[in-house]
Amino acid sequence: MSGRSTKKIADPVKKQTLADFKVGVDNVIFSVDIAQNRLLVLLVMRRDEPFLGQWCLPGTLVRHGESLEDAAYRILSEKIRVNNLYLEQLYTFGGPGRDPREAPDSFGVRYLSVSYFALVRFAEAELIADGVSGIAWYPIKQVPKLGFDHNKILEYGYRRLRNKLEYSPIAFDVLPELFTLNDLYQLYTTVLGENFSDYSNFRARLLKLGFLCDTGLKISRGAGRPASLYRFDAEAFAPFKDKPLVFI
């Protein structure tokens, strides 16, 4: 027996005016400061109305002849210099009234936002201040009230980041090529919280999966024993692709 939908269906006889859209791209750019165990998001300060002087996600309107992905990469290149990054489309936000430039109860232009989710290496990232009033990395727990519906977009992107850690090797896009198991553990605890797994259990399960290669090299940090350096083996990870990892 099928359930009944409570959503009201528009009268097919009544003709409705087609909406005229402008399409924008907004990027949720994350990074992890491993040294201070901080999850960061890149914000820029608006220099135009609406929301003049308010922090927002980096965004742009799509130009003629430009694909959505090209627009996402363009705004990235205008705000940050980085060699290694991960980028994927996140979600489309297009509710009526999400942009103050839309005139309510009129037939004016509607503004869609196709959001993208990016992850970059903090140590390599160089911020570009040209053409903006302000640009800064904000700890995820200290993000202020953003313009437009960007807090909602950020929340959606944060959920995606947490989910991606469960079934993809996205963490290795942030770490340097050689890393310790503690570096990897700190990254996961920074994003997922300290209670997701204890270190000994994390270490044992991760090594059992077999997609980390011990380089035989060690690094000394402080007074403790030298730690082994590992490298991610993408080929060995292939059987686990799109499967929840057991150490999460």
Side-chain angles (χ1 to χ4, degrees):
M1 181 177 179
S2 60
R4 294 184 177 180
S5 172
T6 58
K7 186 176 179 62
K8 186 177 180 181
I9 301 175
D11 186 351
V13 177
K14 183 180 178 180
K15 292 185 178 179
Q16 295 179 318
T17 304
L18 296 178
D20 183 15
F21 286 102
K22 284 191 175 182
V23 180
V25 166
D26 292 304
N27 287 349
V28 187
I29 306 172
F30 289 114
S31 192
V32 179
D33 179 0
I34 300 173
Q36 299 189 42
N37 299 327
R38 299 184 304 166
L39 175 62
L40 307 170
V41 63
L42 187 64
L43 301 180
V44 296
M45 187 173 287
R46 290 274 299 177
R47 59 174 183 168
D48 299 304
E49 294 289 358
F51 301 109
L52 175 65
Q54 193 163 340
W55 290 102
C56 293
L57 298 171
T60 185
L61 291 175
V62 180
R63 296 171 177 173
H64 286 292
E66 184 178 46
S67 71
L68 294 172
E69 187 172 281
D70 286 344
Y73 274 111
R74 173 168 59 82
I75 199 64
L76 268 167
S77 67
E78 291 174 355
K79 299 295 183 286
I80 191 169
R81 295 186 184 96
V82 65
N83 293 324
N84 298 285
L85 65 88
Y86 176 89
L87 179 73
E88 72 170 43
Q89 193 173 121
L90 182 63
Y91 193 74
T92 299
F93 295 83
R98 63 167 298 274
D99 191 303
R101 289 169 290 191
E102 297 179 10
D105 302 322
S106 74
F107 302 106
V109 173
R110 292 266 304 279
Y111 286 78
L112 290 179
S113 171
V114 181
S115 58
Y116 278 78
F117 155 77
L119 190 62
V120 302
R121 292 182 179 176
F122 181 69
E124 299 177 358
E126 179 186 350
L127 302 186
I128 303 172
D130 298 343
V132 295
S133 301
I135 183 169
W137 288 112
Y138 262 79
I140 193 72
K141 296 180 181 179
Q142 298 176 19
V143 170
K145 172 64 177 175
L146 305 178
F148 304 98
D149 53 356
H150 287 189
N151 287 96
K152 181 179 179 181
I153 296 176
L154 172 57
E155 180 183 351
Y156 198 98
Y158 184 32
R159 290 202 305 269
R160 174 69 63 85
L161 173 61
R162 293 167 64 91
N163 290 337
K164 293 291 287 188
L165 283 177
E166 296 183 8
Y167 63 86
S168 80
I170 191 172
F172 304 104
D173 290 313
V174 178
L175 291 169
E177 181 181 0
L178 301 183
F179 52 87
T180 68
L181 291 179
N182 188 63
D183 291 335
L184 183 59
Y185 180 71
Q186 290 301 324
L187 188 151
Y188 272 89
T189 56
T190 298
V191 177
L192 299 177
E194 296 180 355
N195 296 325
F196 90 96
S197 176
D198 64 86
Y199 176 73
S200 59
N201 188 50
F202 176 87
R203 182 182 186 280
R205 292 190 177 188
L206 192 65
L207 291 178
K208 187 176 180 180
L209 292 172
F211 54 76
L212 295 185
C213 176
D214 190 338
T215 65
L217 302 174
K218 293 183 181 296
I219 185 171
S220 295
R221 293 173 180 168
R225 294 170 54 187
S228 296
L229 287 170
Y230 290 82
R231 178 186 291 110
F232 173 64
D233 187 337
E235 185 175 337
F237 181 84
F240 301 98
K241 188 178 181 181
D242 299 325
K243 297 179 181 179
L245 299 183
V246 296
F247 60 88
I248 296 301

